[in-house]
Amino acid sequence: MYFRYGTMNSSKSMNLIASVHNYESKGDKVVVIKPSLDTRSANGFIESRVGTKTECIDISLKDSILTCVKTEMDKKGSISCVFVDECQFLTQEQAFELISIADTMRIPVIAYGLRTDFRGILFVASNVLLSHADKIEEIKTVCHVKGCKRKAMYNQRVVNGKPVFKGDSILVGDTISNTNIRYEPKCRFHFMADMIDSQKGGNN
Ligand SMILES: [Zn+2]
């Protein structure tokens, strides 16, 4: 069980697509899953920001990933790896299902996602994976602030040009679907500075 986490824009999807390609180029069968509430990509595909894409199975929060993988095994025969994109959107139960796939079905699972939400608080599924994954790997990118060379650790939510620190953890839709809301990868220094500013302002 691998958990590869990183902020937004850290090329997680690109990394996933490249890994899927590596398996498939050797003739190995894989299952690629994405929680369907991620609206950035078209249904049935995982797309990277540089334009590469791979087919995937969209699952809802009610779906069993175990059942999904078993169904795919019936269709394809043996499965060499299960990939999950945007795994922070899974439920706690679904995150535990990934561990069960690795342990009881003995299929490697590689899950990609965010560690924390825009407030810097762990996503429920990410918490499960950080606690139980065999390997935890960070996919790094730099802070969004011009000239800052620090590692980005947070996905700062920016509404109407202002950083916000309160609201729902999952607000689906990227810059494409709502021009007023965007996310910026920020280092701890800049994230904390904005948080203190917003507390002073009393707006958040
Ligand atoms: Zn910074």
Side-chain angles (χ1 to χ4, degrees):
M1 176 73 237
Y2 295 76
F3 179 37
R4 293 182 180 163
Y5 73 90
T7 61
M8 286 170 147
N9 299 332
S10 63
S11 320
K12 294 185 298 299
S13 296
M14 207 165 76
N15 189 309
L16 180 151
I17 292 163
S19 300
V20 168
H21 180 74
N22 284 342
Y23 274 91
E24 289 181 338
S25 65
K26 292 186 288 178
D28 291 333
K29 307 259 189 349
V30 301
V31 175
V32 185
I33 287 167
K34 186 186 69 175
S36 59
L37 58 78
D38 171 39
T39 54
R40 176 159 58 95
S41 301
N43 282 346
F45 285 100
I46 290 167
E47 284 176 80
S48 74
R49 284 169 204 273
V50 295
T52 52
K53 61 180 183 178
T54 190
E55 272 185 65
C56 71
I57 299 167
D58 295 307
I59 56 153
S60 78
L61 299 179
K62 289 175 185 157
D63 289 336
S64 159
I65 300 178
L66 262 172
T67 305
C68 170
V69 171
K70 281 175 184 164
T71 306
E72 288 303 301
M73 273 183 95
D74 290 343
K75 276 195 245 170
K76 296 178 176 174
S78 69
I79 301 290
S80 299
C81 191
V82 173
F83 289 92
V84 186
D85 198 21
E86 305 286 3
C87 67
Q88 75 276 1
F89 293 145
L90 299 176
T91 64
Q92 181 168 304
E93 292 71 21
Q94 288 174 327
F96 275 108
E97 279 190 300
L98 299 183
I99 291 156
S100 181
I101 289 163
D103 287 347
T104 64
M105 298 175 78
R106 296 183 168 274
I107 303 172
V109 179
I110 306 178
Y112 293 79
L114 307 176
R115 181 173 56 168
T116 56
D117 69 10
F118 74 103
R119 302 164 298 177
I121 294 170
L122 280 174
F123 282 100
V124 173
S126 306
N127 194 358
V128 170
L129 296 174
L130 284 170
S131 304
H132 301 288
D134 298 287
K135 285 220 169 111
I136 297 164
E137 296 166 346
E138 185 172 21
I139 300 175
K140 293 174 187 154
T141 190
V142 293
C143 177
H144 181 81
V145 175
K146 203 176 175 189
C148 180
K149 302 278 199 302
R150 295 182 187 90
K151 180 181 81 174
M153 293 173 65
Y154 303 88
N155 307 288
Q156 189 164 66
R157 182 181 292 171
V158 179
V159 181
N160 296 323
K162 275 189 156 180
V164 295
F165 296 89
K166 283 184 184 169
D168 292 333
S169 175
I170 297 172
L171 200 63
V172 178
D174 219 343
T175 43
I176 296 159
S177 54
N178 191 332
T179 51
N180 295 323
I181 298 169
R182 64 176 196 272
Y183 291 90
E184 294 175 351
K186 288 279 174 77
C187 71
R188 188 173 58 226
F189 178 84
H190 283 115
F191 181 84
M192 292 298 173
D194 284 339
M195 186 185 266
I196 290 162
D197 271 356
S198 85
Q199 284 163 351
K200 276 186 200 153
N203 298 326
N204 293 290

